Amino acid sequence: MIQDAKRSIAYLCPHCRQSIVAERDLFSLAASPTRIPCPCGRSELEIEFLPQRVRLRVPCLFCGREHQVTCSSHAFIKEKAMAFSCAMSGMDCCYVGEEAPVYAATRRLEQTVDKLYEEEERGAFLDELVMHEVLSELKDIAQRDGISCTCGSHQWEFQVNYSSIDLKCRGCGAQMRIPAATADDIDSICSKMTLVIRGKGERT
């Protein structure tokens, strides 16, 4: 029942750069708008349940702005983990889902941010070696026709970002983001024989 279910929500404060991970039960989230403040007092994430949708206002470390994002109520309640990204940087700025995958995703993001701030000069990618290895594994999967979409299409295209790769289905336009920033991202894609893009009809 909704009273017994909980969601973990995580974001990075754009002012002090610390990770904020909070757990809230769905009953309280659905009852009224919820704010999750950073202990520094200079940022907060807001969650509001609307008819059939959930709206989040997310402070963003990467562009310094506040993002307003929405998803279906079903996805917010049921998905193991969802990531919301900054459109300007392509970096994740918020995670929602079960405790373990949200904490794991937040740790990976922290590692990425640490690298980002350690860089004296920004290169083409956050980590050239990691990007090279992830692209190499992606090429191997593609060569054995291991990339498909749940809509049935095996036609796709990709875009290489600073710390990730976006796969896009040419059939329905659905997208899948593959992180390419840390050693964990290499291990993650090396463990996959196939990649399945979730078609736009998958979530309602």
Side-chain angles (χ1 to χ4, degrees), residues 9-130:
I9 304 100
Y11 72 99
L12 299 183
C13 175
H15 299 283
C16 69
R17 284 178 49 196
Q18 70 174 305
S19 303
I20 297 88
V21 184
E23 186 178 69
R24 297 288 187 272
D25 67 84
L26 284 167
F27 181 79
S28 63
L29 287 172
S32 62
T34 300
R35 291 178 172 82
I36 301 174
C38 175
C40 78
R42 290 184 290 173
S43 71
E44 65 178 14
L45 180 148
E46 181 180 321
I47 304 168
E48 183 178 8
F49 270 68
L50 305 171
Q52 308 301 319
R53 309 289 296 175
V54 178
R55 180 172 61 200
L56 297 90
R57 295 181 183 274
V58 184
C60 181
L61 170 65
F62 303 105
C63 71
R65 300 179 181 179
E66 182 181 79
H67 298 299
Q68 180 171 296
V69 295
T70 63
C71 65
S72 70
S73 300
H74 177 81
F76 186 91
I77 293 169
K78 295 294 185 181
E79 290 289 336
K80 287 187 176 182
M82 294 188 299
F84 299 97
S85 302
C86 168
M88 293 181 65
S89 67
M91 304 284 284
D92 293 342
C93 60
C94 175
Y95 300 109
V96 175
E98 296 177 2
E99 182 180 20
V102 166
Y103 268 94
T106 303
R107 284 195 297 271
R108 290 195 297 270
L109 184 60
E110 288 170 344
Q111 293 172 1
T112 301
V113 171
D114 287 342
K115 282 189 175 184
L116 183 63
Y117 279 88
E118 287 170 2
E119 290 284 315
E120 293 184 359
E121 294 183 2
R122 176 172 171 147
F125 307 112
L126 180 61
D127 190 307
E128 299 279 347
L129 177 60
V130 170

Side-chain angles (χ1 to χ4, degrees), residues 156-177:
W156 52 276
E157 57 191 29
F158 71 97
Q159 175 179 310
V160 178
N161 306 311
Y162 183 53
S163 62
S164 63
I165 301 165
D166 290 334
L167 297 182
K168 182 178 180 180
C169 172
R170 289 182 177 174
C172 68
Q175 295 189 47
M176 175 184 186
R177 172 157 292 172

